[in-house]
């Protein structure tokens, strides 16, 4: 009777690969397994024409986008997609599939899970590529191409990323100046660290002026800031506002904290 206490590890015939690529401002992650030719004829034989292929080996190939992207006029929402390919002699049909939990290609495609279906032309290479390879090619600020290469066949699929839209939004936000949340966060930081309370008051005043309906927890911080600056009158009036809103919201913690502070500050 033999007892085996260790697992034997051997190389995978189709090694797993993970590639992370930034395109413009969009993070793209590609995960797939890479089979090799090993003397076999690939397209039209090992990978039959007209039949759905997993675009690799083992678990289906998967691509993940951090932003919405556009492929041949189709918008793919940010997220993960399985990639399947139906090859023919001179072109491929590439499917982006929302169900990524397949081991290989599904027996039947659920049309409701097809996010995009794109036809791309293939080209013949002057040499043979032994191992199936997917690349990121023609990188530009607003687009890139997925390159599929195996045997002596290559196909490229372009996708577009929202770099211009993201940059425009960033510029607009920067030009508009800090938001109410930015001013509030900066004021609270200075208050908690005991740094430049006059500057903290300026930021807090701006934050509150930009906030249509300040929350009880925001007013609480403002009252503490007034108290730290020695302005008990404003500290008390602001704490009373915070207390009223905390009571309306039913927040027992802030009700108690405000009542304790008002008592400490000698409120009537």
């Amino acid at each position: 009777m033999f007892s085996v206490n260790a697992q034997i590890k051997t190389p995978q015939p189709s090694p797993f690969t993970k590639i992370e690529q930034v395109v413009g401002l969009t993070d793209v992650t590609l995960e797939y397994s890479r089979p090799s030719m090993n003397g076999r004829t690939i397209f039209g034989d090992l990978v039959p024409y007209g039949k759905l292929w997993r675009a690799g080996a083992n678990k289906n190939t998967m691509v993940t986008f951090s932003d919405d992207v556009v492929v041949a006029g189709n918008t793919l929402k940010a997220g993960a997609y399985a990639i399947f390919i139906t090859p023919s002699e001179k072109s491929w049909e590439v499917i982006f599939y929302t169900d990524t939990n397949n081991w290989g290609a599904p027996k039947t495609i659920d049309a409701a899970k097809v996010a995009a279906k794109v036809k791309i032309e293939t080209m013949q290479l002057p040499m043979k590529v032994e191992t199936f390879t997917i690349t990121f090619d023609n990188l530009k600020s607003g687009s890139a191409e997925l390159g599929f290469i195996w045997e002596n066949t290559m196909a490229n699929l372009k996708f577009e990323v929202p770099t211009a839209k993201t940059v425009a939004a960033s510029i607009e936000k920067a030009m508009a100046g800090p938001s109410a949340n930015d001013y509030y966060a900066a004021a609270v930081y200075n208050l908690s660290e005991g740094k430049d309370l006059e500057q903290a008051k300026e930021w807090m005043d701006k934050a509150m002026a930009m906030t249509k309906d300040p929350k009880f927890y925001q007013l609480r911080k403002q009252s503490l800031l007034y108290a730290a600056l020695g302005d008990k009158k404003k500290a008390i009036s602001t704490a009373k506002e915070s207390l009223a809103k905390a009571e309306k919201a039913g927040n027992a913690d802030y009700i108690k904290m405000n009542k304790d502070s008002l008592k400490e500050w000698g409120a009537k």
Side-chain angles (χ1 to χ4, degrees):
M1 206 61 180
F2 292 95
S3 175
V4 178
N5 295 318
Q7 292 182 336
I8 297 173
K9 294 184 178 180
T10 59
Q12 292 293 315
S14 300
F16 173 77
T17 299
K18 182 176 181 179
I19 305 171
E20 296 178 340
Q21 177 66 58
V22 177
V23 181
L25 297 171
T26 301
D27 296 320
V28 186
T29 303
L30 181 67
E31 299 171 75
Y32 71 111
S33 293
R34 305 181 62 192
S36 293
M37 290 173 61
N38 293 325
R40 301 172 293 185
T41 299
I42 304 303
F43 295 107
D45 190 358
L46 179 67
V47 178
Y49 292 136
K51 185 177 179 181
L52 196 67
W53 175 47
R54 72 185 80 182
N58 304 326
K59 186 180 184 295
N60 49 260
T61 292
M62 186 169 73
V63 64
T64 304
F65 302 105
S66 65
D67 298 307
D68 295 357
V69 302
V70 176
V71 179
N74 301 279
T75 298
L76 297 178
K77 294 294 184 181
Y81 298 88
I83 297 178
F84 299 115
I85 294 172
T86 302
S88 61
E89 214 168 333
K90 294 184 179 179
S91 64
W92 289 355
E93 184 179 74
V94 182
I95 293 175
F96 289 86
Y97 204 59
T98 57
D99 182 0
T100 61
N101 296 314
N102 297 283
W103 187 268
K107 291 182 180 180
T108 57
I109 286 288
D110 182 348
K113 297 178 180 179
V114 176
K117 187 183 291 186
V118 184
K119 185 177 180 180
I120 56 176
E121 301 299 315
T122 60
M123 64 186 77
Q124 295 299 298
L125 300 174
M127 73 294 185
K128 289 189 176 181
V129 175
E130 172 68 20
T131 303
F132 177 60
T133 303
I134 305 178
T135 60
F136 287 99
D137 299 321
N138 296 329
L139 292 167
K140 297 180 181 179
S141 65
S143 66
E145 292 180 359
L146 288 175
F148 302 91
I149 310 167
W150 203 13
E151 199 176 29
N152 61 345
T153 299
M154 179 176 183
N156 292 311
L157 189 153
K158 182 179 179 180
F159 63 92
E160 298 171 272
V161 296
T163 306
K165 182 179 178 181
T166 303
V167 171
S170 178
I171 291 172
E172 185 178 352
K173 181 180 178 181
M175 293 304 175
S179 68
N181 287 338
D182 293 328
Y183 280 124
Y184 177 76
V188 170
Y189 173 76
N190 270 25
L191 173 62
S192 63
E193 296 295 319
K195 294 181 177 181
D196 198 345
L197 296 183
E198 288 295 339
Q199 178 66 76
K201 179 182 178 297
E202 181 182 332
W203 286 334
M204 183 65 80
D205 289 345
K206 286 182 178 180
M208 292 305 187
M210 295 168 70
T211 304
K212 186 176 180 180
D213 184 22
K215 305 299 182 185
F216 56 84
Y217 52 83
Q218 294 174 316
L219 292 165
R220 167 71 179 165
K221 290 294 185 182
Q222 188 179 33
S223 71
L224 293 175
L225 179 55
Y226 283 136
L229 286 165
D231 191 339
K232 292 290 180 67
K233 184 177 179 180
K234 284 188 177 181
I236 289 170
S237 63
T238 306
K240 285 181 177 179
E241 285 185 68
S242 177
L243 175 60
K245 289 193 173 186
E247 287 175 336
K248 186 175 180 180
N251 191 297
D253 289 339
Y254 276 82
I255 291 171
K256 184 179 187 308
M257 286 189 289
N258 279 306
K259 285 184 175 181
D260 289 347
S261 293
L262 287 167
K263 184 179 180 180
E264 178 187 343
W265 300 333
K268 294 179 180 179

